[in-house]
Amino acid sequence: MKNDGVKRSLEEIFISTFHEKMSFAEFLKLDVKSEFHKIVKSKRTIYAPSPKLKQIHRFINKTILEFADYNLDVVYSYRKGVSIRDAVEKHAKNDFFFQTDLSNFYGNIHSDNVKSCLSKQLSNVLISDIDCYVGRIEELTVIDNHIPAGFSTSPLLSNICLFDFDNALLKNCEENNLTYTRYSDDIIISGSDVDFAHDIENTINNHLATYVNNDIKLNKLKTKFNKKGHDFKILGFNILPNGIVTIPSTDKKEVESLLYFYLTNRDKFENYFQVLANNKNLDLNEKSLQEYATGTLSGKLIAFNAMDKSYISKLRRKYGNTVIDMFIRKSVK
């Protein structure tokens, strides 16, 4: 949406966006329940919207949700101009690191959370009558009383709905000389002293209950506490004793070995991946070994491209732009 500082009605903006491709009446009356289907993958339910609902979600994101309030000092997910690496680098000078994530993150952000947050966090939206449509936006973006995985609106809504929580936890951390960042459902808190480890879990859970709801809680299985100098990862990165943030050398070795074997010997490519899969107890029943190997390498290179552009540039020089782009674009044969 053109940001000229002038507020217009939602109907005006909708018409200027869609012209005659979709009417504003459709936006208001669309039966959302008939505009998506569910896909179950690895015990996780993905909600796949219809083309029409996708268009509406794109409109909601660009005209409304991207203007809503969320904590820029804390949140590094689903934001233009910042990366997952930035979320880690804020902790690089500290010595002790607490990591956790939120159980069933999207599933525990409810309709009431969405409606409440949108009602008070849309003052920057350039729509004069936005308050009249908060309920409709909630209807278009919430399914089965939660924000659904698969809707493009859910990532932004998750940041919006944790705004008060992020503000309160950041204030608590700053009062105790701690650093706090969040990347989607991953929470990182660090400090120069080990003492904060004793009650940080209770503090976070209490803040979640107070500022979000009673259902959203920490994932005990993914809660860790580490000290600088030990071998551990934060969002896929190592923080070295000197404070440098880097992709772990073991991950680099795996990727470069796979790339080398892919280019020189496909049998060794599959055999090397088979060893990796056995070591990591991966289930390889559904696809061929070749498909799993190329898919895994694509996934790692896509992640590395988001994590460290300079390392990807090094790989381009070593293995060629065409090969690296082929894996990043998932066009590998």
Side-chain angles (χ1 to χ4, degrees), residues 64-75:
I64 299 167
L65 301 186
E66 288 181 6
F67 293 89
D69 295 329
Y70 57 91
N71 192 307
L72 297 174
D73 294 322
V74 167
V75 178

Side-chain angles (χ1 to χ4, degrees), residues 188-279:
I188 311 164
I189 295 175
S190 64
S192 57
D193 194 296
V194 71
D195 289 347
F196 79 93
H198 301 305
D199 58 4
I200 193 63
E201 286 187 58
N202 286 334
T203 298
I204 297 171
N205 275 321
N206 288 340
H207 278 64
L208 287 169
T210 301
Y211 297 102
V212 188
N213 60 53
N214 290 319
D215 292 331
I216 194 164
K217 292 180 171 59
L218 299 188
N219 185 344
K220 287 280 188 181
L221 296 176
K222 294 188 177 179
T223 297
K224 305 171 186 175
F225 193 85
N226 290 291
K227 181 180 179 181
K228 184 181 282 184
H230 292 195
D231 185 20
F232 65 95
K233 294 181 185 180
I234 298 181
L235 299 181
F237 289 95
N238 281 157
I239 297 180
L240 303 180
N242 61 3
I244 291 175
V245 174
T246 182
I247 297 171
S249 57
T250 52
D251 291 349
K252 291 179 179 179
K253 181 182 177 182
E254 283 183 12
V255 162
E256 294 191 42
S257 296
L258 285 168
L259 280 169
Y260 175 76
F261 289 135
Y262 178 83
L263 292 170
T264 60
N265 189 314
R266 295 296 177 91
D267 288 337
K268 288 186 177 180
F269 175 67
E270 291 187 9
N271 291 339
Y272 182 77
F273 179 75
Q274 181 72 70
V275 172
L276 294 178
N278 291 342
N279 291 338

Side-chain angles (χ1 to χ4, degrees), residues 123-320:
S123 60
N124 294 321
V125 175
L126 297 177
I127 298 173
S128 59
D129 55 356
I130 187 61
D131 292 344
C132 300
Y133 297 101
V134 167
R136 182 57 180 158
I137 296 163
E138 178 261 322
E139 290 171 355
L140 290 163
T141 59
V142 177
I143 303 294
D144 300 333
N145 195 33
H146 65 84
I147 61 173
F151 279 19
S152 65
T153 48
S154 294
L156 292 176
L157 282 173
S158 69
N159 285 342
I160 293 165
C161 289
L162 265 64
F163 179 63
D164 289 342
F165 164 79
D166 286 332
N167 290 345
L169 185 56
L170 178 62
K171 183 174 184 293
N172 180 279
C173 286
E174 288 177 339
E175 289 171 350
N176 290 280
N177 298 312
L178 301 174
T179 303
Y180 165 44
T181 62
R182 181 173 62 79
Y183 193 89
S184 186
D185 58 345
D186 288 290
I187 288 172
I188 311 164
I189 295 175
S190 64
S192 57
D193 194 296
V194 71
D195 289 347
F196 79 93
H198 301 305
D199 58 4
I200 193 63
E201 286 187 58
N202 286 334
T203 298
I204 297 171
N205 275 321
N206 288 340
H207 278 64
L208 287 169
T210 301
Y211 297 102
V212 188
N213 60 53
N214 290 319
D215 292 331
I216 194 164
K217 292 180 171 59
L218 299 188
N219 185 344
K220 287 280 188 181
L221 296 176
K222 294 188 177 179
T223 297
K224 305 171 186 175
F225 193 85
N226 290 291
K227 181 180 179 181
K228 184 181 282 184
H230 292 195
D231 185 20
F232 65 95
K233 294 181 185 180
I234 298 181
L235 299 181
F237 289 95
N238 281 157
I239 297 180
L240 303 180
N242 61 3
I244 291 175
V245 174
T246 182
I247 297 171
S249 57
T250 52
D251 291 349
K252 291 179 179 179
K253 181 182 177 182
E254 283 183 12
V255 162
E256 294 191 42
S257 296
L258 285 168
L259 280 169
Y260 175 76
F261 289 135
Y262 178 83
L263 292 170
T264 60
N265 189 314
R266 295 296 177 91
D267 288 337
K268 288 186 177 180
F269 175 67
E270 291 187 9
N271 291 339
Y272 182 77
F273 179 75
Q274 181 72 70
V275 172
L276 294 178
N278 291 342
N279 291 338
K280 297 178 182 180
N281 297 316
L282 299 180
D283 184 1
L284 305 179
N285 292 329
E286 295 179 3
K287 303 176 186 175
S288 70
L289 194 60
Q290 174 84 10
E291 288 176 308
Y292 268 109
T294 54
T296 297
L297 183 52
S298 284
K300 285 183 175 293
L301 287 172
I302 290 167
F304 286 3
N305 191 43
M307 294 163 71
D308 192 336
K309 300 284 187 190
S310 63
Y311 178 61
I312 289 292
S313 295
K314 174 188 170 184
L315 294 181
R316 289 181 185 279
R317 291 192 296 271
K318 188 172 182 179
Y319 300 101

